[in-house]
Amino acid sequence: MKNIQQLMKQAQQMQTRMAEMQAKLAEIEMNGQSGGGMVTAVMNGKGELKKITLDKAAVDPDDIEMLEDLIIAAVADAKNKVETHVAGETQKMMGGLPM
């Protein structure tokens, strides 16, 4: 019976920590860049794209494909930074709990 109580307590602690982490993720913003900073993407910790910034030099009406590629690369960079950050934060928050 005591083992079940311990497991329930651990599950409750994990739920609390996960709820805290979800709230923090919404506040985190990471910037991704491409083209030497000509395109910047801002993404929150939940992976939601919040903003795209384009340098005027990146906008060439005769080469839309390059701009599209730069946008994709900036978003991918932001996503990678978010995933790395979230993985580190998750590890810190779950550090004391057995998995």
Side-chain angles (χ1 to χ4, degrees):
M1 186 67 142
K2 189 172 183 176
N3 287 338
I4 292 173
Q5 288 175 336
Q6 280 181 315
L7 285 174
M8 293 298 287
K9 184 177 179 180
Q10 287 174 348
Q12 188 175 24
Q13 287 175 337
M14 190 175 292
Q15 277 185 321
T16 300
R17 287 187 179 182
M18 290 300 288
E20 290 170 0
M21 189 172 79
Q22 288 295 320
K24 285 182 181 181
L25 290 179
E27 297 172 8
I28 294 168
E29 288 190 348
M30 296 295 211
N31 293 333
Q33 294 186 351
S34 66
M38 290 193 323
V39 176
T40 302
V42 179
M43 189 174 283
N44 71 10
K46 291 183 169 186
E48 299 167 338
L49 187 60
K50 302 306 272 182
K51 183 177 180 180
I52 295 280
T53 305
L54 307 174
D55 185 300
K56 289 181 183 183
V59 183
D60 179 356
D62 296 325
D63 195 2
I64 296 299
E65 289 177 359
M66 181 192 72
L67 179 57
E68 292 169 343
D69 290 343
L70 289 172
I71 291 169
I72 290 169
V75 171
D77 185 39
K79 183 178 183 224
N80 184 35
K81 289 176 180 176
V82 165
E83 288 173 351
T84 300
H85 182 80
V86 169
E89 290 299 308
T90 301
Q91 204 168 33
K92 279 191 240 176
M93 290 188 80
M94 296 300 167
L97 294 174
M99 299 301 276

